[in-house]
Amino acid sequence: MPVVKKHGIILEKTENHFENFGVLNPAVYQEGKTVHMFYRAICDEYFSSIGHCVLDGPLKVIKRSKEPIFSAKESYEFKGVEDPRITKIEDTFYLSYAANDGINVFGAFATSKDLFHWERKGVITPKLSFDEFAELIQPICNKISQEHYIFYNYFKQYKLKNLLKKEVYVWDKNVVFFPRKISGKYYFLHRLFPSIQIVCFNDPAELTNEFWKEYVSELHKHIIMAPHYQHEDDRIGAGCPPIETEYGWLLIYYSAQDTSHGLIYHVCAALFDLENPSKLIARLKKPLFSPTEPYEKEGERANMIYPTGAAIFDEELYIYYGTANNSIAVASVNLKSLLEMLKKNRQKQKNKYQSIN
């Protein structure tokens, strides 16, 4: 495996109210030697907003806002805006995030021309009740993992007990845009538990409720990677925005492993075809790195490391990640070494590694 160097924590909570409980899961945009970081900030009432800081190089924070740069505004994000990712497509920045209304979690996005003034574009993922979702996937239940039913069964019990008074929808998280159009279309990754799916479209207006019903009824066709190895046995999800390399799209993703001590999260890597990003080329058999340090293993969410942004300096890939829902840390790996390791796995990949469709 490539050598991974952990640089430790680079951002912690402050006494500012919007981030006095924790900071985590940052979106990252690199401009030369400058890194803009848009991070999830949690206040002590456990509402989330997005803060902003600037780094000189990969590790040194030189400027930090005392107020959120993006806060909950709409009813669908009442509880907070969470886990941002950022990409630039042509001349526009796309900030995707998880919108939490207190019960439901949807994927949403906003756009900007300057990184500071954001225009909300709304929810971009399906708004399907669990009953609708179950009805749509029932005919393909032999083509997808039974884990896709897990949330449906869980919330159905609560609904039967009348513990939830409002409609509950299927959660859809980890919306991550590709940083350019492919064959003239936008692409993004997302996660309907427990696998990673892909969507392509010409215009967000296409993503209607009818679009999503048809999409979910053929969910097996859109799964580009499903849990396969032991360290992925609970779930996987897109982490950092895909990075374009000469060998393919490099995806740094996360996995969660179910153990007797609870979930353990890992940072992983895979490679997808440049012009057909639904085609998996290679995938590491083991995590790129796992929780080993006290700041990763101890905290509100022990053993949780969650990669959401990356930058490249001097052929080193710097991965920015949330640690135990407390702080933000950085690890780095030689990009060439990582790609070489993935290339070695390329010929060994089988279709069954890609998904179960």
Side-chain angles (χ1 to χ4, degrees):
M1 291 290 291
V3 176
V4 174
K5 181 178 180 181
K6 292 186 177 181
H7 300 275
I9 293 171
I10 63 164
L11 203 73
E12 297 184 274
K13 64 183 180 182
T14 70
E15 294 182 358
N16 293 327
H17 178 258
F18 80 100
E19 59 181 8
N20 62 3
F21 186 84
V23 297
L24 58 155
N25 306 351
V28 163
Y29 181 74
Q30 182 179 8
E31 291 181 316
K33 294 184 179 180
T34 300
V35 174
H36 289 271
M37 180 181 290
F38 299 84
Y39 57 91
R40 178 181 173 186
I42 307 176
C43 68
D44 55 11
E45 292 95 354
Y46 218 80
F47 286 82
S48 295
S49 58
I50 297 175
H52 173 253
C53 66
V54 178
L55 283 65
D56 179 18
L59 303 173
K60 184 180 179 182
V61 177
I62 59 170
K63 185 179 180 181
R64 183 172 182 177
S65 174
K66 294 183 179 180
E67 299 290 337
I69 198 168
F70 193 85
S71 302
K73 181 180 178 182
E74 304 296 336
S75 59
Y76 59 79
E77 55 192 25
F78 165 75
K79 187 66 175 178
V81 290
E82 305 173 352
D83 307 339
R85 275 80 156 183
I86 191 167
T87 54
K88 187 178 185 182
I89 305 172
E90 297 173 350
D91 64 346
T92 302
F93 296 99
Y94 289 74
L95 182 74
S96 56
Y97 59 95
N100 187 336
D101 71 2
I103 293 178
N104 303 295
V105 180
F106 303 107
F109 79 111
T111 60
S112 173
K113 297 291 186 180
D114 62 5
L115 288 175
F116 296 99
H117 300 90
W118 295 94
E119 181 181 354
R120 278 174 170 78
K121 298 297 183 178
V123 171
I124 198 174
T125 54
K127 192 173 183 180
L128 298 172
S129 71
F130 282 86
D131 290 332
E132 289 176 311
F133 181 76
E135 183 178 349
L136 289 168
I137 65 174
Q138 182 62 41
I140 58 168
C141 63
N142 63 330
K143 298 179 181 179
I144 61 175
S145 168
Q146 293 302 301
E147 293 298 313
H148 284 284
Y149 282 99
I150 190 169
F151 277 153
Y152 168 72
N153 291 330
Y154 176 74
F155 279 106
K156 187 175 182 181
Q157 293 176 24
Y158 276 74
K159 193 173 181 180
L160 289 172
K161 295 177 182 178
N162 293 317
L163 295 178
L164 294 175
K165 301 301 182 183
K166 62 185 293 187
E167 186 66 84
V168 180
Y169 297 97
V170 174
W171 290 13
D172 198 332
K173 303 181 69 175
N174 306 147
V175 170
V176 181
F177 280 89
F178 281 75
R180 68 168 170 86
K181 292 182 180 179
I182 303 169
S183 300
K185 294 188 175 185
Y186 295 95
Y187 280 77
F188 70 77
L189 305 174
H190 67 121
R191 191 206 73 204
L192 287 164
F193 189 96
S195 56
I196 299 174
Q197 301 94 40
I198 194 166
V199 180
C200 69
F201 56 94
N202 293 300
D203 187 286
E206 298 172 16
L207 304 180
T208 63
N209 201 45
E210 289 306 311
F211 171 95
W212 284 115
K213 285 183 177 180
E214 182 177 348
Y215 179 97
V216 171
S217 70
E218 297 182 325
L219 189 63
H220 57 292
K221 296 181 180 180
H222 307 295
I223 297 171
I224 64 168
M225 194 159 63
H228 178 71
Y229 297 111
Q230 184 176 359
H231 64 274
E232 303 172 337
D233 63 6
D234 185 79
R235 76 193 75 164
I236 58 174
C240 309
I243 299 166
E244 189 169 5
T245 76
E246 61 181 307
Y247 303 114
W249 292 106
L250 172 63
L251 179 66
I252 302 299
Y253 67 99
Y254 74 89
S255 70
Q257 180 180 0
D258 192 8
T259 76
S260 58
H261 302 291
L263 292 180
I264 298 177
Y265 283 69
H266 308 273
V267 175
C268 313
L271 203 61
F272 293 85
D273 186 84
L274 284 179
E275 299 308 318
N276 180 13
S278 63
K279 179 182 178 182
L280 178 65
I281 295 174
R283 172 183 196 169
L284 294 184
K285 293 182 178 180
K286 296 181 179 180
L288 187 58
F289 63 92
S290 302
T292 56
E293 305 302 317
Y295 58 83
E296 298 169 330
K297 296 175 71 66
E298 302 167 7
E300 198 232 345
R301 293 287 297 275
N303 292 309
M304 186 174 191
I305 54 176
Y306 197 85
T308 44
I312 300 172
F313 289 89
D314 300 323
E315 298 184 354
E316 290 289 308
L317 177 66
Y318 287 81
I319 300 169
Y320 300 81
Y321 61 101
T323 66
N325 267 21
N326 288 334
S327 56
I328 294 169
V330 186
S332 64
V333 62
N334 182 269
L335 181 58
K336 183 178 180 180
S337 296
L338 175 56
L339 292 172
E340 288 295 330
M341 178 60 69
L342 283 163
K343 280 174 62 182
K344 288 181 180 179
N345 282 356
R346 181 170 184 160
Q347 298 302 319
K348 300 176 182 179
Q349 294 298 319
K350 305 295 183 184
N351 288 337
K352 65 179 181 179
Y353 292 178
Q354 185 169 342
S355 67
I356 54 175
N357 60 344

